[in-house]
Each structure stands twice: as C-alpha cells, then as structure tokens.
Amino acid sequence: MYNAAVGFIVEGHGEYAAYPSLFCRIVDATGAYVPCVNAGGCGSVFKNTHEHLDDLVRTGKPRFVIITVDYIDLVDQRLAPDLRTIREIFKSRIDSWMEKAKVDGRIKAIPESIKLVVQVHKFESWLIADYDSLLDQGFLIDQAPAIDDSDAVKDPAGWVKKHFVDGHEVKSPAFVKKVVAAIDVDAVSEKSKSFSIFHRSCKRYYDSWLRSSYEC
C-alpha cells in the first residue's frame, strides 16, 4: 500500500537535494526510497500545503510525512508572527487535508501521521551545527568561531558565507550535499534542538515502518 517509510515537503533546492541522503544516514538505511516535494519557497509551503501534500502522497505514497520550513523566513515575510502561530496554522491545514483525503478517490494511501518541523532559524542552522567535522574536513576558514548552539545563530546563511571556504555557494544543491555528507548527524542533534526533533521523527517513523514490515 505504502511505497516509502517517510516523504518530505521542503521549501528549497538544498533540502530537496540533501534530504534523501540525510534521512538514510539518520536511519542507517542505504538506498531507501525517499520521496520529496520541493515547494519552491517557504511561502509556497505555507500557502499551498494541501497541493503539496496531494502531490507527495499521490505519487510517493509515504506512510509518514515530514514538512520542514524555516522559522525566520516565515516571520520575515510576515506570514506568521511566532512559532506557536506557525504550528497552529499548519496543524489546521494538515487536519483539513487529512479529512479531505479520506474521501478523495485519487489518494490510495493516506499517511498515518504528518509532522511539521520548524527549522530554527533556517536549514543552514543544521549545516553549521557540527563545527568539529566541518573544521576537520576543511570546510571552514581557520578563524571561524566555534558554535555551541547553532539555533542561536540569527543569520546562519550569513555565517556560512563568512566562515566557509566556499561559503558563496551556500544556495548550491551540490554544496549542500557535500556539507551534509561531512557532518555527523548525531553531533548535529546535540547542537541544534530543531534538528534533534527532525532526527527523532525520522528514526521513530522509520522504526515503525520496519516493525510493520516484519509483521507482514
């Protein structure tokens, strides 16, 4: 019935390029099928949630769905004033979609759960969290300051541009994939609370998927 354990709705090219390998590293599953929809911006994720869920679920048929959005982008674009409002709006839209999906004959596999993970402050917050690996593997310039809490860095994309050797490529999917391949996902969880939520959700959903597969 389901084609994948987890599918993602993301707002940018970097996440779209990196999430399949990132997910596989988190759950330690090489080559897993990871359907992903690139919404093309946080505004699109926010305003067109129903359409992106339709696209992901009808084509990818994931058992679970994770939607990720950048907190600071939503606030800067005045789409929502704070984290609580972001969660309330998405919960309402997800609940509404789930009700419609139950009577939509085009949807053959309704997800068991749809979770929102808010990236604080941005996706780049996760890329800068594992300072030691980035420094050891030559991604950072020598004078780059250490980071104890990447969620506290207010402009993580600017931090990348300033302190990465190739920081000007911050929006390049190829660059993002290289960074994701270099970092330790467990170390990132320790330095970013928002990533730890993402990490736990991926593992919990994948473990549930595995258990159901063994029971069949």
Side-chain angles (χ1 to χ4, degrees):
M1 185 178 182
Y2 296 107
N3 289 345
V6 181
F8 297 93
I9 297 174
V10 304
E11 64 173 70
H13 300 301
E15 293 101 322
Y16 182 77
Y19 272 31
S21 61
L22 183 61
F23 174 79
C24 288
R25 293 187 63 208
I26 290 171
V27 303
D28 193 21
T30 303
Y33 172 50
V34 186
C36 192
V37 168
N38 181 1
C42 75
S44 180
V45 180
F46 186 81
K47 297 174 182 177
N48 304 313
T49 310
H50 280 219
E51 290 83 351
H52 298 310
L53 282 168
D54 282 344
D55 186 12
L56 176 66
V57 172
R58 288 168 60 189
T59 58
K61 296 184 177 65
R63 182 172 176 181
F64 303 97
V65 173
I66 296 176
I67 303 171
T68 59
V69 289
D70 288 352
Y71 169 75
I72 199 64
D73 287 347
L74 290 173
V75 172
D76 284 350
Q77 295 181 33
R78 299 184 179 180
L79 295 171
D82 52 41
L83 188 58
R84 179 179 177 179
T85 304
I86 292 169
R87 288 172 173 161
E88 289 176 348
I89 291 172
F90 271 99
K91 182 181 186 305
S92 175
R93 291 178 179 173
I94 290 168
D95 290 347
S96 171
W97 182 87
M98 289 287 276
E99 287 302 311
K100 291 181 179 180
K102 293 175 183 177
V103 294
D104 188 338
R106 301 169 301 170
I107 297 176
K108 307 302 181 183
I110 299 174
E112 292 184 13
S113 178
I114 302 172
K115 182 175 183 61
L116 173 72
V117 176
V118 182
Q119 298 157 317
V120 180
H121 286 274
K122 295 172 68 72
F123 174 53
E124 287 84 4
S125 300
W126 299 356
L127 300 182
I128 66 176
D130 184 11
Y131 176 88
D132 292 338
S133 293
L134 294 171
L135 188 63
D136 289 345
Q137 298 192 43
F139 281 88
L140 302 180
I141 60 177
D142 291 339
Q143 61 267 40
I147 295 175
D148 292 323
D149 177 5
S150 68
D151 290 350
V153 178
K154 297 300 177 67
D155 182 14
W159 200 96
V160 172
K161 292 177 183 178
K162 182 176 180 180
H163 298 296
F164 274 59
V165 174
D166 296 319
H168 61 282
E169 298 182 17
V170 63
K171 296 302 181 182
S172 163
F175 173 77
V176 172
K177 288 181 71 173
K178 285 195 301 183
V179 175
V180 166
I183 57 180
D184 181 330
V185 293
D186 294 324
V188 177
S189 285
E190 295 176 0
K191 299 290 186 177
S192 167
K193 183 178 179 180
S194 62
F195 183 81
S196 71
I197 296 171
F198 179 81
H199 186 284
R200 290 195 305 270
S201 299
C202 289
K203 286 189 67 66
R204 183 173 69 252
Y205 288 156
Y206 187 71
D207 289 345
S208 177
W209 161 267
L210 284 181
R211 286 195 301 272
S212 66
S213 298
Y214 292 145
E215 291 167 359
C216 292

